[in-house]
Amino acid sequence: IKKRIIKAEKMDIVSHLASSVSHEVRNPLTVIKGFLQMMEQNDIPEEQRKKFIKISIEEVDRANDIIRNYLTFAKPSPENKTKLNVKVELERTIQIITPLANMNGVEIVTKLESYFTEGETQAFQQCLLNLTKNCIEAMPDGGKLYIETKEENGDLVIVISDNGKGMTKEQVSRLGEPYFTTKGREGTGLGMMAAINIIETMAGKLSVTSKVNEGTNFHIRLPIVEECS
Ligand code: ADP
Ligand code: MG
């Protein structure tokens, strides 16, 4: 399968940022308000109340996700650039996604070595989180999330792959397009757009290979900076 290098469609995103964020965040807020109003009534069965709270928390997370993913466009802050050890960064990501992986019966397999690159740790974490979450979400019945770091032609390469649902050619070609999601209400379609943008900001390249029912392989190429520069 040919590797496709994916590019974020920056087009109008930045100019429409403010209106998009407020529009997008209004949906989860409306849902949360509705549940709070229902819970204001006294005669709500306990079980129902718990369900309302659970959905409300999910919607808060969603609103948070939307804002964070948009912010990676709005607020590139070169002053926050530091030297990053990708092994340390990936270990932090793994810590955050392990509960989600466990819930999905996903085993995380790693082969990590220290390599240094430059970027903003916040943004890089967001990128790694978006990619690994997508992989886990592609394996609802369990599977393996594989994460590796290696050197290739003088560059640093991070491989993140899953053996989940995979994507059709058409889906692969739409990665990075804002609002492209196959997850319906659960998806935002902003995760890949943000991930690609972050890698490009770090002078890197994100490419993908995928096969339906076999899995997906993300390949992140980044410049190596020396440990003691
Ligand atoms: P979201 O996850 O909210 O749908 P993303 O921008 O993160 O938005 O991803 C867009 C779409 O790309 C997903 O809905 C899914 O269809 C597809 N996708 C991304 N990563 C994977 C993966 N690892 N396996 C299968 N499909 C994926
Ligand atoms: Mg996603």
Side-chain angles (χ1 to χ4, degrees):
I1 336 148
K2 207 168 153 272
K3 200 170 275 166
R4 206 182 87 85
I5 294 174
I6 45 190
K7 281 199 184 304
E9 302 198 12
K10 287 177 215 176
M11 0 168 274
D12 289 334
I13 295 168
V14 178
S15 59
H16 288 135
L17 200 72
S19 66
S20 291
V21 172
S22 54
H23 177 82
E24 294 288 308
V25 170
R26 205 164 285 148
N27 295 325
L29 288 183
T30 304
V31 173
I32 295 163
K33 182 174 177 192
F35 282 126
L36 288 176
Q37 283 170 333
M38 284 194 276
M39 284 189 287
E40 211 181 12
Q41 297 156 16
N42 295 322
D43 51 353
I44 303 260
E46 180 63 12
E47 199 177 305
Q48 190 122 67
R49 205 178 57 88
K50 278 197 178 139
K51 203 177 110 196
F52 289 166
I53 292 174
K54 184 168 174 279
I55 298 174
S56 296
I57 293 172
E58 281 167 10
E59 292 296 301
V60 170
D61 287 342
R62 206 178 131 72
N64 233 325
D65 257 20
I66 292 167
I67 292 169
R68 270 206 307 256
N69 282 322
Y70 271 119
L71 278 185
T72 64
F73 273 91
K75 202 182 57 120
S77 20
E79 70 276 10
N80 292 337
K81 241 169 75 167
T82 56
K83 197 176 293 176
L84 303 175
N85 182 341
V86 292
K87 180 169 190 262
V88 172
E89 296 296 326
L90 282 163
E91 281 166 349
R92 187 178 305 168
T93 309
I94 290 165
Q95 213 175 1
I96 296 168
I97 57 161
T98 295
L100 181 69
N102 289 341
M103 257 169 26
N104 284 260
V106 168
E107 184 192 353
I108 303 175
V109 181
T110 63
K111 191 172 164 213
L112 303 179
E113 273 178 65
S114 287
Y115 293 102
F116 292 84
T117 192
E118 238 173 23
E120 271 178 71
T121 175
Q122 281 273 359
F124 194 46
Q125 279 300 320
Q126 179 73 48
C127 166
L128 296 174
L129 211 59
N130 290 357
L131 295 178
T132 51
K133 264 175 87 173
N134 277 345
C135 289
I136 295 171
E137 286 163 0
M139 302 183 283
D141 306 316
K144 276 203 175 87
L145 171 63
Y146 180 74
I147 306 176
E148 179 185 357
T149 59
K150 60 185 176 188
E151 194 181 328
E152 231 176 63
N153 304 324
D155 284 329
L156 143 71
V157 167
I158 303 171
V159 176
I160 298 175
S161 61
D162 67 64
N163 55 0
K165 287 179 186 164
M167 283 175 269
T168 64
K169 256 202 198 134
E170 202 259 338
Q171 289 168 340
V172 169
S173 74
R174 294 190 63 187
L175 283 179
E177 186 183 303
Y179 312 119
F180 165 63
T181 180
T182 56
K183 297 172 192 170
R185 255 195 55 77
E186 311 258 284
T188 63
L190 298 174
M192 287 303 303
M193 173 192 83
I196 297 160
N197 185 248
I198 291 162
I199 296 302
E200 285 178 358
T201 304
M202 296 170 73
K205 277 207 173 75
L206 176 65
S207 52
V208 63
T209 54
S210 189
K211 219 170 163 197
V212 174
N213 294 327
E214 286 190 13
T216 299
N217 187 291
F218 292 113
H219 191 273
I220 305 171
R221 178 177 288 274
L222 288 163
I224 291 182
V225 302
E226 292 310 316
E227 192 171 352
C228 303
S229 61

